[in-house]
Amino acid sequence: MPAITPSISDPVSNRIQLSINLIGAGVCIVLQKTHSIAGFISAEIVLMYQDVSFFSLDTAGALLLGCLAGTLADVDKPGSTMAKVLFPLSALLQLLKVKHRTLTHSILFMLLLSMFVMPLSNLYFWVFMLAYASHPLIDLLNDRGVQLFWPVPIRIRLLPKVLAIDTGSIGETAFRWLLLAISLLLLLGTHLISPLLHIPGWN
């Protein structure tokens, strides 16, 4: 797999790269909010695990990929951002009568998808897969659940209906803010604050 691009060491370039990373993340989060933030967090986790510098082109690409991959499963939902961006695929799924939170939210589809994105670098492969998987994982908190084991027609949810998080509800807004707080903590703690403090084991 391709090697990770070296980080940018020049202070001016660092500031430019930081701005690009943050602006790109902000744009992605606006696209589809909750799932984009979850995808962003997924990318942060992979970047932390692989010890990739925040001030690098690979990080910018990984964060952008995470935001987009986190929303991708909703290509099966007519009117969604991904359905509009990937209209031919969305139209095909509608033609095949694929319902929302079935095929594209299933373990089987994710396994097939992992084979398709295998040519990506190790960094981007894991960012894509973890960000994509975050989508059905979050949808398991919805009252309608997900056909995680499609084509078996059984919908699974993690919470009882009274505690489930409905799309567009106050509960989803609160959950989104929680995800955003986690994302900022990871971003500031791991990539900005700890290097200044020289905390062992953190880069």
Side-chain angles (χ1 to χ4, degrees):
M1 291 184 178
I4 294 175
T5 304
S7 61
I8 302 172
S9 57
D10 178 66
V12 175
S13 298
N14 281 350
R15 288 195 291 271
I16 294 174
Q17 190 60 48
L18 174 60
S19 299
I20 292 173
N21 292 351
L22 295 178
I23 291 172
V27 170
C28 287
I29 289 171
V30 168
L31 286 178
Q32 206 174 352
K33 298 178 181 178
T34 303
H35 288 300
S36 287
I37 298 173
F40 188 84
I41 291 174
S42 300
E44 287 182 297
I45 291 172
V46 176
L47 289 166
M48 289 169 57
Y49 182 79
Q50 297 197 13
D51 198 24
V52 180
S53 170
F54 185 72
F55 302 104
S56 69
L57 296 177
D58 278 305
T59 293
L63 295 176
L64 178 61
L65 179 62
C67 286
L68 295 176
T71 69
L72 188 57
D74 271 350
V75 70
D76 66 350
K77 181 181 179 182
S80 69
T81 302
M82 282 296 105
K84 294 175 182 176
V85 172
L86 301 175
F87 177 74
L89 178 56
S90 175
L92 176 62
L93 292 174
Q94 290 182 57
L95 185 64
L96 296 175
K97 300 187 184 302
V98 174
K99 296 181 180 180
H100 184 38
R101 296 188 181 130
T102 58
L103 169 64
T104 62
H105 291 60
S106 68
I107 292 176
L108 175 61
F109 187 81
M110 284 186 277
L111 289 175
L112 294 174
L113 195 59
S114 69
M115 298 173 63
F116 182 76
V117 300
M118 190 70 74
L120 294 175
S121 70
N122 187 56
L123 172 64
Y124 290 150
F125 173 83
W126 286 111
V127 166
F128 182 90
M129 290 309 303
L130 191 59
Y132 190 95
S134 73
H135 190 120
L137 179 61
I138 287 178
D139 281 352
L140 288 173
L141 304 177
N142 189 277
D143 67 326
R144 295 183 182 87
V146 173
Q147 284 191 20
L148 198 60
F149 299 106
W150 184 94
V152 178
I154 299 176
R155 287 187 175 268
I156 299 173
R157 66 168 186 254
L158 295 179
L159 298 175
K161 196 164 185 177
V162 67
L163 297 177
I165 301 174
D166 295 328
T167 303
S169 67
I170 295 177
E172 185 190 12
T173 301
F175 183 68
R176 185 187 308 140
W177 279 105
L178 175 61
L179 288 178
L180 184 58
I182 293 172
S183 174
L184 291 174
L185 284 173
L186 290 174
L187 176 65
L188 296 174
T190 305
H191 300 295
L192 298 179
I193 296 176
S194 59
L196 298 177
L197 299 177
H198 303 290
I199 299 177
W202 287 40
N203 227 337

